[in-house]
Amino acid sequence: MNLLKKIIISYFILLILFTGLIIGVHTIPQSAIKENVVTSTHTLQEEGLYKKFLNFKLFQMDNFTDSYMLNLAISADSKHPIEAGMMNYDYKSKNFMDLAYDTEKVALGKTENLDKGSYGRYWQGYQVTLRPLLTIFTYPQIRILNYIIFTVLIISIIWLLAHEISIGTACLFGLSLLLINFPIVPYSMQFSTCFYIAFISMILLIKCPTLTISRSNTLCTFFIIGGITSYLDFLTTPQLTLGLPLIVHMLTKRPKDTWKIVIAISIAWALGYGLLWASKWMMGYLLTGNNILADAMQSAE
């Protein structure tokens, strides 16, 4: 199968999967997550939206975006899952610093003094994991879960890098995480998303040679990684999902024409990201009749 066919098939599989998942997860009723959302907002209210560890800018959290993710989760109307999944409505006041308090009000059904908005230009695919998690866990508990999973992933990657490439590479990977102040990443849902995609992609690239057995397989794999990034990421650090897996690929395969490969893979990743992102606007219009494209273009400007 040539590259074009693989990319077309991958695109439609991802589009159907993304649409089905985001609609399906919005069938979870507000009542199932209400209590845990309220408890979660209390934590965010106590910490503040831009908490700094040691009062140092490098250790600053983005509790604002995490509050917004919770706001979108609790604002969704499960009685209309298609519109909820496509339009991603929110309720908040004009004072953005009150977002954690506004989110608690939404959970308690007190939306009369809040403005209704929409963030439908992104897939908001993280809701596929966040909404089910909120039926069981609170925000602080999700942080603990994040730390456990991240620890397992990092240990696995370091071991694989040492075993498959070199101990020096594994050490440099660990050092790179320290240099970007990685310990605060699992503390934030927003910070975590792209690291999950990057780490899992790195492991798969090492353990599943079929993904990169040919040039077309390699480009299709990175097309898929880009598409998944556009689905799950909240425009935070998407380049991580290109850079880290790309480095692993180059170190394990050591291809000739290095820069040609880097450019080709980068284009494939960007194509996956861009096509699947724009497809949300198309699906939103087809399924709801709302012109999400106009909102996306205005924001792009």
Side-chain angles (χ1 to χ4, degrees):
M1 190 184 301
N2 63 35
L3 175 60
L4 182 59
K5 286 183 179 179
K6 288 179 180 178
I7 285 182
I8 291 174
I9 292 172
S10 297
Y11 167 77
F12 280 106
I13 290 175
L14 289 176
L15 182 59
I16 293 170
L17 185 64
F18 289 177
T19 304
L21 286 173
I22 202 65
I23 293 173
V25 79
H26 281 89
T27 61
I28 298 174
Q30 287 179 317
S31 58
I33 65 175
K34 172 183 174 181
E35 184 177 346
N36 283 338
V37 169
V38 170
T39 302
S40 299
T41 60
H42 292 167
T43 298
L44 292 162
Q45 291 165 18
E46 292 171 6
E47 292 181 353
L49 297 185
Y50 296 103
K51 175 182 175 65
K52 295 179 185 177
F53 293 101
L54 304 177
N55 199 31
F56 188 42
K57 182 71 173 179
L58 183 61
F59 301 147
Q60 179 175 294
M61 301 301 302
D62 187 5
N63 285 350
F64 172 83
T65 304
D66 279 9
S67 296
Y68 194 73
M69 292 162 74
L70 292 172
N71 190 294
L72 289 172
I74 195 61
S75 295
D77 183 0
S78 60
K79 296 179 181 177
H80 303 93
I82 295 177
E83 185 171 7
M86 292 294 104
M87 297 307 298
N88 306 112
Y89 292 118
D90 61 63
Y91 291 90
K92 59 184 185 298
S93 62
K94 291 181 173 58
N95 184 358
F96 74 94
M97 292 301 292
D98 288 338
L99 185 57
Y101 296 95
D102 294 340
T103 302
E104 181 181 10
K105 290 178 182 178
V106 177
L108 297 175
K110 302 176 181 179
T111 60
E112 54 275 3
N113 295 320
L114 301 177
D115 298 325
K116 183 179 181 180
S118 170
Y119 219 134
R121 62 181 178 272
Y122 295 119
W123 279 102
Q124 313 290 355
Y126 57 83
Q127 294 286 344
V128 171
T129 53
L130 178 58
R131 298 194 93 241
L133 284 173
L134 286 171
T135 64
I136 305 172
F137 302 112
T138 63
Y139 182 66
Q141 291 168 337
I142 291 174
R143 284 173 167 174
I144 294 171
L145 183 63
N146 252 356
Y147 265 101
I148 294 171
I149 298 174
F150 266 61
T151 300
V152 173
L153 287 174
I154 291 171
I155 292 173
S156 300
I157 293 172
I158 289 176
W159 184 86
L160 285 171
L161 291 175
H163 185 263
E164 300 292 334
I165 303 176
S166 70
I167 294 176
T169 300
C171 291
L172 286 173
F173 172 70
L175 177 61
S176 71
L177 294 181
L178 292 176
L179 291 174
I180 61 169
N181 193 26
F182 184 78
I184 72 167
V185 171
Y187 210 69
S188 169
M189 295 187 297
Q190 190 234 128
F191 290 165
S192 304
T193 306
C194 283
F195 280 97
Y196 273 120
I197 300 170
F199 288 171
I200 293 172
S201 297
M202 292 167 73
I203 293 172
L204 291 176
L205 287 173
I206 294 174
K207 297 300 293 182
C208 302
T210 304
L211 296 175
T212 54
I213 197 170
S214 65
R215 180 70 61 86
S216 62
N217 277 24
T218 300
L219 296 179
C220 187
T221 295
F222 277 88
F223 175 88
I224 292 171
I225 293 173
I228 292 172
T229 302
S230 74
Y231 187 66
L232 297 175
D233 182 38
F234 208 167
L235 204 61
T236 308
T237 51
Q239 66 273 22
L240 281 172
T241 71
L242 168 63
L244 290 176
L246 176 57
I247 291 171
V248 166
H249 173 68
M250 300 303 287
L251 289 175
T252 53
K253 299 299 182 179
R254 299 192 178 278
K256 298 178 181 179
D257 299 325
T258 302
W259 282 109
K260 290 183 180 179
I261 299 296
V262 168
I263 292 171
I265 287 176
S266 299
I267 292 173
W269 180 94
L271 186 63
Y273 189 100
L275 280 178
L276 269 302
W277 185 13
S279 295
K280 171 63 188 298
W281 315 336
M282 175 188 70
M283 294 305 297
Y285 177 74
L286 291 176
L287 295 176
T288 70
N290 292 300
N291 190 0
I292 299 176
L293 177 60
D295 176 53
M297 294 304 295
Q298 181 180 0
S299 298
E301 291 175 4

